[in-house]
Amino acid sequence: GGSFFIVAIDQETVELACTYLYPVVAWSSAKGDAQSTALKHDVANTKFEVSLYLTSLNIDFFFYEMDVWFLQSPIDTIVEFHSNRTNDILISSHQSSPMTINIGVYSVLANERTKEFFELCILMASESPNTHDQWIFDQLLLLASNLRRGYELRGKFEHKWDPPPKTNPPKMKYPPNHGLYKSYEIVAGPRPLPTTSTLAIHTLCGKPLSTPWGKKMLAKELGSWYGFKSQGNEAAGYYVRSGRHRRYIMLDGFDSPNVYNTMQSYDFGLELDLFTDLTSFRWTIATILALARRTSRIFIMPSVLSISGAHYLWSVLDFQEVNRMGISYRETNFMHNRKSWLSEDIPISSAARTALAPIDEAGKESSMYAQFPSSGWQNEGSSEIKAWEFQEGISDGEALDIFFAMHTAYPQIHDAELLLVNPHFSGAPYFSKFTASKTPQTVSQREIMDVLQRLKWCPPTNRKDTIVAREDTVGRSTADMACYGQGKSFK
């Protein structure tokens, strides 16, 4: 048999683990923000200290960092390593550079060689506190390889060492033998590309301690995040939900559901200005978020389409502010992930679509539409479509209030698992009209305005790009591109 435990260096993680009854060890560390030199050193040193502690107790172990996300069980691979006993240490590598180690995942046999190895890791980390822990690991393995081959030691630890250690080079009596996991087994990189043989992905970035949200979001988009189970309520987990907890909202539009297309097209007609204008884009997102808050639905991020390809909304919108407004959200690929499906074959049980559209020009809402499941067992699988034309004299704000109210007034719309909303009216001309007007805003207008004023954005640095950066496409997205906590208010 074996055992599993979490090593935590902060009180919040300890308490969270205890809440969910996970075995956890509290390891002391420096206090400070994510950029604190002392904290970075302690994060690096902790893995060395825990590794030494386990080898000193003659315990073989498998280590992985918390930003490693498993797609399938690694148990067979772990058992094979411990059964063969060919290597003392087995380490993951970088997908883009398979011979370069990545110490986010490693397996260790406890013996005099690995015990001395981690003692030297701790010594080097203490004498060279600003040196990357992975470089310390790498250079000591290189030293061990040279010693095992009988090579004469030449030179000292200087390149990339900050500062160079005093014990230089260190004395190693028992050099361990090491090997590498196959680069497709543990896929480590800023843009991990898993295959069917991949055991886990390790999302990397330039500032791992300050961008955990981006690392987790990228793992979600790749379908490798596990999701949580709501404590005391099995119906309200991240993926597994039911009843009133299973209600989502998506942007609906000209091209396809949950896509915001910023490319100009002569076929767009009335939606041309809506999709190519920065102000309209931000108003549209604020409108969907306001409706999500009004209806207590979970907002599913749309992809943003540009001439360069598809982009994630979280690269331009700061979702820290969305959190603060109490609006729940999910990643763009949420509905493509079978973990979120109602059953093995059915993604959702019901859907409704609504739209508020100007017929003549922006600012003159003439009609609203709804499509929802038909009621009654004899109409199972069919849907109803309804359209309403507003009477002359109803103001734009009143029309918007009626549209918002429809989503809670109609049971077939309110109870639908998925709500697709097409806010054709959300162009800049419409909102510039009501924001500049001295006429008091209606309830729905105030709700949208409240959301918009609180949202923060990360605009592209390239002046030629207005909504999204051309290079930040889905295939090139990394955790570093996340806007979370970095956004600026919309002026």
Side-chain angles (χ1 to χ4, degrees):
S3 60
F4 166 85
F5 64 93
I6 298 169
V7 178
I9 62 173
D10 65 282
Q11 186 62 27
E12 184 178 358
T13 303
V14 172
E15 293 176 357
L16 184 64
C18 290
T19 299
Y20 286 91
L21 302 179
Y22 292 139
V24 60
V25 175
W27 210 270
S28 63
S29 70
K31 305 300 180 184
D33 59 30
Q35 297 306 311
S36 165
T37 301
L39 181 59
K40 288 180 180 178
H41 175 264
D42 279 4
V43 169
N45 209 42
T46 296
K47 68 180 70 173
F48 296 154
E49 292 175 345
V50 174
S51 297
L52 175 60
Y53 181 75
L54 292 173
T55 54
S56 297
L57 295 176
N58 202 34
I59 297 175
D60 300 343
F61 65 90
F62 173 73
F63 165 85
Y64 65 93
E65 295 177 344
M66 294 301 289
D67 56 355
V68 174
W69 317 91
F70 286 91
L71 298 173
Q72 52 187 310
S73 173
I75 290 178
D76 289 344
T77 303
I78 297 171
V79 169
E80 182 181 2
F81 164 75
H82 290 288
S83 299
N84 293 341
R85 309 189 80 80
T86 304
N87 296 300
D88 298 305
I89 305 174
L90 191 66
I91 318 147
S92 65
S93 62
H94 290 79
Q95 187 175 34
S96 60
S97 181
M99 299 306 293
T100 304
I101 68 165
N102 176 271
I103 60 172
V105 178
Y106 56 84
S107 295
V108 174
L109 297 179
N111 53 45
E112 62 181 1
R113 296 181 293 277
T114 53
K115 181 176 180 293
E116 181 191 44
F117 179 82
F118 288 110
E119 287 174 342
L120 291 176
C121 284
I122 293 172
L123 176 64
M124 294 295 98
S126 64
E127 293 185 354
S128 185
N130 299 322
T131 300
H132 191 198
D133 57 346
Q134 192 160 273
W135 184 248
I136 294 173
F137 210 102
D138 177 88
Q139 292 299 287
L140 288 175
L141 287 178
L142 179 60
L143 173 61
S145 296
N146 287 333
L147 290 173
R148 291 180 66 86
R149 293 170 182 166
Y151 294 161
E152 183 181 349
L153 293 180
R154 295 180 180 178
K156 295 184 177 182
F157 288 168
E158 293 178 341
H159 179 58
K160 294 186 180 180
W161 290 81
D162 182 18
K166 295 178 181 179
T167 309
N168 197 351
K171 302 295 183 182
M172 185 181 288
K173 295 181 181 180
Y174 312 108
N177 191 30
H178 78 277
L180 297 173
Y181 282 100
K182 296 179 179 64
S183 60
Y184 61 79
E185 290 179 324
I186 310 295
V187 179
R191 307 179 186 94
L193 297 174
T195 69
T196 54
S197 300
T198 298
L199 301 177
I201 67 168
H202 185 190
T203 50
L204 305 180
C205 64
K207 297 179 180 179
L209 295 182
S210 58
T211 53
W213 189 91
K215 292 166 77 74
K216 182 166 70 173
M217 186 54 63
L218 188 58
K220 290 178 179 180
E221 299 290 8
L222 290 171
S224 58
W225 195 60
Y226 315 127
F228 59 78
K229 293 182 178 180
S230 184
Q231 188 180 18
N233 189 347
E234 293 299 319
Y238 188 85
Y239 293 111
V240 180
R241 307 179 71 87
S242 62
R244 62 184 179 85
H245 302 287
R246 189 177 171 82
R247 297 168 65 250
Y248 306 103
I249 185 169
M250 277 185 179
L251 174 70
D252 201 4
F254 183 88
D255 279 345
S256 61
N258 226 33
V259 173
Y260 192 101
N261 193 333
T262 69
M263 293 188 293
Q264 294 188 9
S265 169
Y266 292 108
D267 296 330
F268 274 26
L270 290 171
E271 293 188 344
L272 177 60
D273 290 335
L274 167 62
F275 284 100
T276 58
D277 179 74
L278 173 62
T279 305
S280 299
F281 166 68
R282 290 175 172 174
W283 276 112
T284 299
I285 300 302
T287 299
I288 300 297
L289 286 170
L291 192 54
R293 186 165 65 168
R294 164 81 77 94
T295 58
S296 299
R297 287 183 175 272
I298 298 171
F299 170 71
I300 298 179
M301 303 180 196
S303 60
V304 184
L305 195 63
S306 78
I307 195 170
S308 300
H311 307 256
Y312 290 128
L313 181 63
W314 49 263
S315 68
V316 291
L317 176 60
D318 188 344
F319 273 86
Q320 185 176 61
E321 299 304 317
V322 180
N323 277 337
R324 290 170 176 167
M325 285 186 277
I327 301 173
S328 297
Y329 56 83
R330 296 293 187 268
E331 67 275 11
T332 306
N333 291 323
F334 180 79
M335 280 295 177
H336 297 282
N337 191 329
R338 287 180 176 268
K339 288 184 287 190
S340 73
W341 285 21
L342 181 67
S343 66
E344 185 177 347
D345 301 316
I346 302 174
I348 55 172
S349 64
S350 59
R353 307 178 78 176
T354 64
L356 177 61
I359 289 181
D360 299 320
E361 58 183 285
K364 292 185 178 179
E365 284 61 56
S366 300
S367 305
M368 70 177 185
Y369 309 85
Q371 180 180 8
F372 47 79
S374 300
S375 58
W377 62 269
Q378 68 274 20
N379 295 316
E380 185 176 355
S382 61
S383 64
E384 295 181 36
I385 299 177
K386 290 185 177 293
W388 296 268
E389 183 175 357
F390 296 117
Q391 296 179 355
E392 187 175 350
I394 292 181
S395 69
D396 297 335
E398 291 170 333
L400 185 57
D401 276 354
I402 295 171
F403 178 67
F404 264 46
M406 175 178 67
H407 296 89
T408 54
Y410 261 85
Q412 299 97 319
I413 299 175
H414 178 269
D415 296 337
E417 281 191 14
L418 177 62
L419 174 62
L420 297 123
V421 180
N422 192 337
H424 293 258
F425 69 94
S426 296
Y430 173 84
F431 286 104
S432 61
K433 177 181 177 182
F434 94 71
T435 53
S437 175
K438 295 182 180 179
T439 306
Q441 296 172 8
T442 62
V443 173
S444 53
Q445 287 174 335
R446 287 196 297 270
E447 290 178 6
I448 296 172
M449 178 64 78
D450 175 65
V451 171
L452 182 71
Q453 290 177 334
R454 295 174 64 178
L455 290 179
K456 294 184 179 180
W457 309 83
C458 291
T461 54
N462 187 342
R463 292 185 178 181
K464 293 182 180 179
D465 300 331
T466 57
I467 296 178
V468 290
R470 298 179 190 181
E471 65 274 12
D472 293 354
T473 55
V474 165
R476 294 178 56 83
S477 293
T478 68
D480 288 318
M481 294 178 183
C483 182
Y484 193 87
Q486 309 296 320
K488 298 179 180 179
S489 299
F490 175 39
K491 302 293 184 181

